[in-house]
Amino acid sequence: QITLKESGPTLVKPTQTLTLTCTFSGFALSTRGVGVGWIRQPPGKALEWLALIYWDDDKRYSPSLKSRLTITKDTSKNQVVLTMTNMDPVDTSTYYCAQASLSSWSQYFHHWGQGTLVTVSS
Amino acid sequence: QSVLTQPPSVSGAPGQRVTISCTGSSSNIGAGYDVHWYQHLPGTAPKLLIYGNTNRPSGVPDRFSGSKSGTSASLAITGLQAEDEADYYCQSYDTSLSGFYVFGAGTKVAVL
């Protein structure tokens, strides 16, 4: 059974750095073709992909947020960490991590965490 | 503005068939990248509904089906049920500056 769970602060102040941890089980991030991504959803808006880390430690970021994002993995702990700098109220969202299945022409998010709501407010 | 275009909403009576379109471009769907669909109920995690254009993960009813042609894809729900009322998102891979993993803006399915 594959599970993912997001953890981190529920409230951050503007300009602060957000650090979210995704703890997963049931799969190995060292397996070829596997990745873990972060996706967010502002209240009442659509899903937005943020970042993804591949089994070989390659990383991809949303171009619009690339300067603010860092994604890392700790394979031994089965964790992926996302940091987002210079938080703003518009970053208020539910943040999801998800296991990605990755091949040359097909990349999708198979299993998702329950999500964590992060509010940015002073 | 999303790279993948979906209608904001569709509706149907119980038992009817509804379809949701997802229109992309030559940098994503038209380039040959697969389209995937997710069902999202408020307050829950999104659920993979269709992957690789037409494939259903284990446990997804065969009332849900996907197709792809050219720069577009579609999700069809036949025998619409009250429990199908949710938001549906298409997703693909994009090679332009818009990003790598792109989602549509979502379609709200209402069961009348």
Side-chain angles (χ1 to χ4, degrees):
Chain A
Q1 180 188 6
I2 291 175
T3 64
L4 303 98
K5 187 172 184 179
E6 306 85 355
S7 59
T10 58
L11 178 66
V12 297
K13 290 180 168 52
T15 75
Q16 286 187 336
T17 294
L18 171 68
T19 299
L20 293 173
T21 300
C22 176
T23 303
F24 58 87
S25 64
F27 68 95
L29 192 43
S30 57
T31 301
R32 184 178 183 84
V34 174
V36 171
W38 287 92
I39 302 100
R40 71 178 179 179
Q41 184 181 37
K45 296 189 177 181
L47 298 173
E48 178 186 17
W49 170 73
L50 301 176
L52 189 141
I53 190 163
Y54 293 71
W55 71 95
D56 60 359
D57 208 39
D58 196 7
K59 300 159 188 176
R60 294 287 185 270
Y61 297 100
S62 168
S64 62
L65 294 166
K66 183 176 183 178
S67 64
R68 300 172 54 205
L69 296 173
T70 303
I71 189 168
T72 60
K73 66 181 175 72
D74 186 329
T75 305
S76 64
K77 292 184 178 179
N78 281 353
Q79 290 182 333
V80 170
V81 175
L82 180 75
T83 61
M84 180 180 290
T85 61
N86 194 25
M87 293 292 285
D88 183 272
V90 300
D91 296 313
T92 294
S93 294
T94 297
Y95 288 78
Y96 298 96
C97 66
Q99 182 219 31
S101 292
L102 308 163
S103 64
S104 297
W105 296 99
S106 194
Q107 306 83 14
Y108 58 92
F109 300 98
H110 200 155
H111 302 276
W112 295 63
Q114 63 190 19
T116 185
L117 176 62
V118 178
T119 302
V120 184
S121 174
S122 55
Chain B
Q1 189 166 357
S2 299
V3 173
L4 304 178
T5 301
Q6 297 181 235
S9 64
V10 299
S11 62
Q16 285 190 331
R17 179 179 187 269
V18 297
T19 61
I20 302 170
S21 60
C22 175
T23 303
S25 68
S26 58
S27 65
N28 42 69
I29 301 174
Y33 293 104
D34 285 351
V35 178
H36 321 287
W37 293 89
Y38 304 86
Q39 179 189 59
H40 194 195
L41 295 158
T44 69
K47 172 186 175 182
L48 179 66
L49 205 61
I50 298 287
Y51 68 96
N53 306 316
T54 61
N55 303 293
R56 286 186 308 276
S58 175
V60 173
D62 59 7
R63 304 186 292 103
F64 296 92
S65 63
S67 63
K68 173 190 167 184
S69 178
T71 58
S72 296
S74 291
L75 173 72
I77 310 173
T78 58
L80 194 63
Q81 299 182 5
E83 66 202 50
D84 300 331
E85 192 160 283
D87 295 319
Y88 293 81
Y89 293 88
C90 61
Q91 176 253 314
S92 187
Y93 185 85
D94 189 278
T95 56
S96 73
L97 295 177
S98 300
F100 297 97
Y101 300 90
V102 289
F103 287 90
T107 299
K108 172 70 177 180
V109 170
V111 181
L112 303 174

